Amino acid sequence: MRGSLISAPYLHYLVKNKSKIKIVNVIMTDHHHNKEENNKFVHAHRITLDQQTLNLIDITATPVPVPRKLPTQKTFEKYIQDNQYDHLTPIVFFDEHIHFAARAWFTFRYFGFKRVYVLDGGFNKWHHQHDIDKNDCKIFEDLNLQDQPKDQVTQLTTKDVSVISYLKQHKDPKGDDWLLLDARDSPRFKKGSIPGSYNLPFSEYLNDDHTMKSTENLHKLYRNHQIDISKKIVNTCQTGKLSCIALLAQEIMKKKELLLFDGSYEEWNHEHPTKQ
């Protein structure tokens, strides 16, 4: 385990030993569906017979004026109650790769869940993982699934980001402690971005098999981009989903404060419309 990531071999070990965990396949659709309809989307992504399905739209705020933001406390608590989640049972989120699962992980952490994890590499990695060997079992016996990094998960408002952006644009020394880090791909970033932000696409955090890069290579990635991990890094993207991959990486790099601008560029552009 690294931070909140669980490897496919370790999940195999947990399933094989019938550990008390909740495995959840995360999907994202444009409209709300009932449980039966949600399950139709994931019939090919089956890890266990009793796994659950989480549709991100069910834990997302009503898309006015900006889509895909965090839900209200009331909406989240109702979802938790209706779907029988609890704070004691470890939860492992997965999707085909890692994108939706990372957003579910952040959402649950934001609302106080401490035992939430993401399958590294997603279902594709699980599907191609052979059975674990005896050496793996000996290593996994010493792991504690309930150990969770003690970091602080926070979302920033448009007002907060506006101040940081102003400081960065005007090269004010007060802005030196901050970094606006955009996780979108380069073409989308170039079409429009928050002034003063820096682009590091989410794909650069990942290996070819969509697993997270090693801790050493993540630090190397930041050094190559001259990113100081000790700064206050505000993570952004288009709406706040892909930047959660950067947050997973920063947790692995022992970042103690994980900051997300929820709504990200969509929120920024709504408050600061581009002049035509």
Side-chain angles (χ1 to χ4, degrees):
M1 284 181 56
R2 294 185 300 145
S4 295
L5 289 178
I6 285 185
S7 68
Y10 186 31
L11 185 57
H12 268 280
Y13 170 82
L14 295 172
V15 171
K16 187 174 183 179
N17 286 274
K18 299 180 179 180
S19 301
K20 186 180 179 182
I21 57 175
K22 183 187 288 288
I23 299 176
V24 182
N25 190 178
V26 186
I27 64 173
M28 181 73 183
T29 63
D30 293 329
H31 305 285
H32 294 279
H33 299 279
N34 59 38
K35 290 183 180 180
E36 290 72 22
E37 291 171 328
N38 280 336
N39 287 333
K40 291 179 182 178
F41 288 94
V42 298
H43 67 278
H45 294 163
R46 180 68 63 183
I47 290 179
T48 62
L49 293 176
D50 60 348
Q51 72 182 39
Q52 293 190 10
T53 303
L54 185 158
N55 192 336
L56 282 178
I57 197 171
D58 294 330
I59 53 170
T60 299
T62 303
V64 177
V66 178
R68 300 179 183 176
K69 292 187 67 176
L70 290 167
T72 63
Q73 182 82 35
K74 182 178 180 180
T75 297
F76 183 79
E77 289 179 352
K78 184 178 187 307
Y79 180 84
I80 293 305
Q81 183 177 8
D82 291 346
N83 292 274
Q84 300 179 328
Y85 285 86
D86 66 80
H87 286 264
L88 297 178
T89 305
I91 305 166
V92 180
F93 294 118
F94 77 94
D95 58 61
E96 185 175 1
H97 298 304
I98 194 174
H99 309 144
F100 296 151
R103 177 64 179 188
W105 163 81
F106 178 85
T107 303
F108 273 64
R109 288 292 297 274
Y110 179 78
F111 285 105
F113 277 72
K114 300 299 183 184
R115 297 172 182 173
V116 285
Y117 304 87
V118 174
L119 174 59
D120 194 12
F123 182 80
N124 283 350
K125 192 65 178 178
W126 164 273
H127 182 67
H128 292 97
Q129 174 64 44
H130 299 295
D131 198 12
I132 55 177
D133 58 31
K134 292 182 179 179
N135 290 330
D136 284 332
C137 288
K138 291 179 181 179
I139 295 173
F140 296 150
E141 285 174 0
D142 296 328
L143 293 179
N144 183 355
L145 189 62
Q146 297 181 355
D147 286 344
Q148 191 80 352
K150 298 184 183 301
D151 44 49
Q152 181 180 352
V153 177
T154 308
Q155 69 154 325
L156 276 73
T157 66
T158 308
K159 183 178 180 180
D160 297 326
V161 175
S162 295
V163 172
I164 299 168
S165 176
Y166 178 86
L167 294 174
K168 302 299 286 186
Q169 288 182 82
H170 292 81
K171 302 186 186 309
D172 190 309
K174 294 179 182 178
D176 291 346
D177 293 336
W178 294 89
L179 174 64
L180 298 172
L181 191 59
D182 194 314
R184 294 177 297 169
D185 58 44
S186 181
R188 179 166 282 191
F189 178 80
K190 290 177 180 178
K191 286 182 179 180
S193 62
I194 300 170
S197 59
Y198 182 82
N199 184 217
L200 180 58
F202 73 93
S203 58
E204 294 200 36
Y205 292 96
L206 306 175
N207 297 308
D208 291 340
D209 62 357
H210 298 279
T211 57
M212 187 72 71
K213 287 183 175 178
S214 68
T215 305
E216 179 182 353
N217 284 338
L218 288 174
H219 281 288
K220 183 179 179 180
L221 175 67
Y222 271 36
R223 287 196 301 270
N224 289 343
H225 283 267
Q226 298 182 331
I227 296 174
D228 185 350
I229 190 67
S230 67
K231 288 189 175 184
K232 297 177 181 178
I233 301 175
V234 180
N235 294 277
T236 77
C237 54
Q238 191 70 20
T239 61
K241 177 169 66 68
L242 293 177
S243 48
C244 293
I245 296 174
L247 289 164
L248 276 170
Q250 289 162 19
E251 182 190 63
I252 291 171
M253 291 188 281
K254 307 299 183 183
K255 190 73 177 164
K256 296 301 181 184
E257 190 173 25
L258 305 178
L259 305 176
L260 173 70
F261 177 27
D262 195 36
S264 289
Y265 183 67
E266 292 281 349
E267 176 86 3
W268 175 270
N269 200 41
H270 174 74
E271 296 293 334
H272 305 81
T274 303
K275 295 180 180 180
Q276 301 295 328

